[in-house]
Amino acid sequence: MDQLFVVRQILEKFYAHDIDLHLLFIDLKKVFGSINQKKLLELLASFGIPKKIEWLVKMTLEGAQGKVIVDGKVSNPFVISRGVRQGDGLSATLFNLILHKALKNLEQSNTILNRLTQIHGYANDILVIARSLPALEAVCAEINREAGRVGLVINPDKTKYVRFSASTS
C-alpha cells in the first residue's frame, strides 16, 4: 500500500506542474522457477547471512526432485536445479534478496523530483518512472542486464509502458 501511495503522490505532483513522466511496469517471468540457485547461495554470503542459515537454505535446494502427472500417469523423478519452491514461506524472502541484488546497483539516492529515474519494486513487479523516454530505455536496459545476472528474465508480454502527461496533445 505504501508503494501505491508514493507513486500516486509522484504522479499528482508532476501533473500539477505539467511535467510528463514515462512509466514502465515490468513483470518478471516465472520468478520462483527461474532463480539461479548457485547465485542465490553466493548472494546469501554477500549479504552476511550466517553460515548456518546458508547451509539450511542449501539443504532445502539441493537434491530437490519433482514428478509430473500426465494422463493419470506419474513420470519418473527428475532433479530440480533451478528456482525455489513455490508456496514455501522462505521462497518469497529469497526472491526479495535476489531482486534487491538486481536493483541495488541501479538505485541512487533522492527521488524522481531531482533525478531522471526512480525504481519501485514490489513482489515480482518493478515500476520504473522516468522524466524522458531515453532515460527510461537506459534504465530498462540496465535492469535487464542486472536481472539476467541473477537468473531473472523480463516478461515482455506482461510489461507495459504508459506516458503520463497533463497536456492533452
Side-chain angles (χ1 to χ4, degrees), residues 57-80:
V57 170
K58 186 175 181 178
M59 284 179 48
T60 66
L61 297 175
E62 284 186 344
Q65 293 186 342
K67 293 180 183 180
V68 179
I69 300 173
V70 179
D71 293 329
K73 297 178 183 170
V74 179
S75 72
N76 292 328
F78 55 90
V79 176
I80 300 171

Side-chain angles (χ1 to χ4, degrees), residues 64-126:
Q65 293 186 342
K67 293 180 183 180
V68 179
I69 300 173
V70 179
D71 293 329
K73 297 178 183 170
V74 179
S75 72
N76 292 328
F78 55 90
V79 176
I80 300 171
S81 58
R82 291 192 67 80
V84 293
R85 298 169 197 243
Q86 262 184 308
D88 182 356
L90 182 60
S91 295
T93 302
L94 295 174
F95 170 72
N96 284 336
L97 288 172
I98 290 278
L99 184 60
H100 177 75
K101 176 67 174 174
L103 299 180
K104 183 175 125 182
N105 298 332
L106 306 175
E107 245 341 275
Q108 304 161 12
S109 60
N110 301 321
T111 67
I112 190 73
L113 298 174
N114 48 9
R115 67 170 195 234
L116 289 177
T117 61
Q118 186 167 338
I119 302 169
H120 295 269
Y122 182 76
N124 69 327
D125 296 309
I126 301 168

Side-chain angles (χ1 to χ4, degrees), residues 13-20 165-167:
K13 296 291 182 208
F14 278 77
Y15 184 84
H17 295 327
D18 196 23
I19 300 171
D20 290 356
S165 177
S167 63

Side-chain angles (χ1 to χ4, degrees), residues 155-166:
N155 184 348
D157 296 331
K158 292 185 178 179
T159 296
K160 304 295 178 201
Y161 165 77
V162 175
R163 179 174 168 252
F164 183 81
S165 177

Side-chain angles (χ1 to χ4, degrees), residues 10-86:
I10 290 169
L11 294 177
E12 286 176 2
K13 296 291 182 208
F14 278 77
Y15 184 84
H17 295 327
D18 196 23
I19 300 171
D20 290 356
L21 286 176
H22 301 268
L23 291 83
L24 188 66
F25 297 86
I26 299 174
D27 183 79
L28 299 169
K29 276 187 183 179
K30 303 177 182 170
V31 292
F32 291 110
S34 65
I35 293 173
N36 181 320
Q37 292 179 355
K38 184 178 177 188
K39 294 272 186 193
L40 173 61
L41 294 171
E42 290 170 7
L43 179 70
L44 293 176
S46 75
F47 275 120
I49 304 290
K51 285 284 185 200
K52 186 173 185 177
I53 304 234
E54 257 185 77
W55 181 73
L56 290 169
V57 170
K58 186 175 181 178
M59 284 179 48
T60 66
L61 297 175
E62 284 186 344
Q65 293 186 342
K67 293 180 183 180
V68 179
I69 300 173
V70 179
D71 293 329
K73 297 178 183 170
V74 179
S75 72
N76 292 328
F78 55 90
V79 176
I80 300 171
S81 58
R82 291 192 67 80
V84 293
R85 298 169 197 243
Q86 262 184 308

